[in-house]
Amino acid sequence: MADKNITTIGFEKQIWDAACVLRGNIDASEYKSVVLGLIFLKYISDRFEIKYQELVDEGDGFEEDWDEYVAENIFFVPENARWSVISAAAHTPEIGTVIDDAMRSIEKENSRLKDILPKNFARPELDKRRLGEVVDLFTNIQMIEHGNSKDILGRTYEYCLSKFAEQEGKLAGEFYTPSCVVRTLVEVLQPYNGRVYDPCCGSGGMFVQSSKFIENHGGNIKSISVYGQDSNPTTWKMAQMNLAIRGIEADLGKFNADTFFNDCHPQLKADFIMANEAVICGLTPEKACNFKEFAA
């Protein structure tokens, strides 16, 4: 276990170093979505390629069968969205457009990701030479080699989010809560089963830690139902991506919205309510039913 942790830390730093190639070209708040979008794209492409090769080796001609992937909770990646295509375009002026088209194709094939993935890589202010260099760095990192687990991207997400938070200072609180705080909340609440609700869910860290808590205690992740929302559209999308890659089913509302002014779950009676600030005090009594409460 210790060796795996050491490998993971080195791997996460590799990803962050790749992200830093864009530093100086755009603000941290801007390239956050670029880097996390590429991490997501590279990881699902790696997972797809592993399964694709298995199906090719079986020789039954099912390698392009959507159902073969979905049955194993693997996102189907259309041909134009596979990393080999993106890598081949890394040093062309069209690299941004190629990535945007890849994101659109993936959303079309995977309804859960509809209107979630970032599609702003072709914008003029994003230096295409530097973007191509980041693609090259990701090409040389086989993410799946560092653990055939849904959690590997999540750990990378958390590491990069913490680094982005350092750069953005106090404003980062809207999308990132330190993992030690989140773990404390979850350990106090002990959400083994029932409805778990976060009225300002950020990038979904509370839900991820809840699922880890259940797994670490021999429980079943299907024993909880996850609900939440967030007012920031970029953060809301990050949460959707973070939870999707881990296979956590969640209802975060049909769109981003402020809990106080546009409650996406007005009829919800939650067993556990978690928040990293005093927002929980503004909830109506009807919102909570048989829940433990703890706020940082």
Side-chain angles (χ1 to χ4, degrees):
M1 183 63 70
D3 290 340
K4 181 177 180 181
N5 289 338
I6 291 171
T7 301
T8 300
I9 292 171
F11 166 65
E12 291 166 346
K13 187 176 185 303
Q14 271 186 290
I15 296 293
W16 176 249
D17 289 344
C20 288
V21 171
L22 291 172
R23 191 187 311 222
N25 180 228
I26 51 178
D27 293 337
S29 59
E30 289 290 318
Y31 76 80
K32 178 169 71 254
S33 63
V34 172
V35 172
L36 295 179
L38 284 176
I39 290 174
F40 183 88
L41 183 58
K42 180 61 165 66
Y43 184 76
I44 65 171
S45 185
D46 279 3
R47 289 202 75 206
F48 173 86
E49 290 294 345
I50 294 292
K51 181 62 180 177
Y52 182 91
Q53 192 56 52
E54 289 177 1
L55 293 171
V56 169
D57 293 342
E58 289 174 5
D60 296 323
F62 293 135
E63 57 268 19
E64 295 290 345
D65 189 332
W66 184 87
D67 291 330
E68 292 288 334
Y69 298 91
V70 176
E72 296 186 19
N73 293 317
I74 296 173
F75 290 108
F76 182 82
V77 181
E79 188 171 357
N80 74 306
R82 295 169 193 172
W83 194 263
S84 57
V85 174
I86 294 166
S87 176
H91 299 291
T92 69
E94 295 78 28
I95 179 59
T97 302
V98 170
I99 296 174
D100 285 345
D101 289 344
M103 296 295 191
R104 292 188 183 94
S105 295
I106 291 171
E107 287 186 342
K108 185 177 180 180
E109 293 289 343
N110 303 275
S111 58
R112 183 178 178 183
L113 299 175
K114 181 176 173 57
D115 298 327
I116 296 299
L117 303 183
K119 297 173 285 291
N120 56 358
F121 292 85
R123 64 187 190 273
E125 60 268 27
L126 182 58
D127 188 312
K128 302 306 180 290
R129 178 184 60 81
R130 292 187 179 185
L131 177 59
E133 290 176 4
V134 175
V135 169
D136 277 348
L137 288 168
F138 276 37
T139 298
N140 295 325
I141 299 173
Q142 291 298 314
M143 298 180 78
I144 206 70
E145 291 179 359
H146 295 269
N148 189 16
S149 133
K150 297 170 186 174
D151 194 45
I152 185 66
L153 179 63
R155 291 197 299 268
T156 308
Y157 245 79
E158 185 174 339
Y159 182 87
C160 288
L161 284 171
S162 68
K163 288 295 187 180
F164 283 123
E166 287 179 9
Q167 292 194 358
E168 295 185 41
K170 63 180 181 180
L171 296 178
E174 69 180 23
F175 70 84
Y176 180 77
T177 303
S179 58
C180 58
V181 174
V182 178
R183 285 196 300 270
T184 300
L185 287 167
V186 172
E187 290 291 338
V188 170
L189 289 170
Q190 299 183 6
Y192 285 109
N193 53 67
R195 303 178 192 88
V196 178
Y197 173 63
D198 186 342
C200 48
C201 66
S203 55
M206 298 282 191
F207 304 135
V208 171
Q209 288 295 337
S210 294
S211 68
K212 287 182 179 179
F213 176 85
I214 292 172
E215 292 172 3
N216 291 340
H217 290 79
N220 188 339
I221 185 59
K222 294 182 179 180
S223 297
I224 64 171
S225 299
V226 170
Y227 298 87
Q229 68 182 87
D230 199 272
S231 62
N232 184 294
T234 301
T235 303
W236 182 78
K237 290 177 180 179
M238 281 197 298
Q240 298 277 18
M241 291 168 61
N242 194 10
L243 298 177
I245 199 67
R246 297 172 181 274
I248 299 176
E249 293 291 338
D251 182 351
L252 304 185
K254 295 181 179 179
F255 44 77
N256 61 288
D258 189 305
T259 307
F260 289 125
F261 302 105
N262 191 356
D263 189 350
C264 292
H265 310 287
Q267 305 303 318
L268 175 65
K269 293 185 182 296
D271 299 291
F272 303 94
I273 298 179
M274 297 183 285
N276 70 335
E277 50 190 87
V279 66
I280 211 169
C281 298
L283 298 172
T284 61
E286 291 77 18
K287 173 67 71 177
C289 175
N290 186 30
F291 69 89
K292 297 179 184 178
E293 181 177 322
F294 186 84

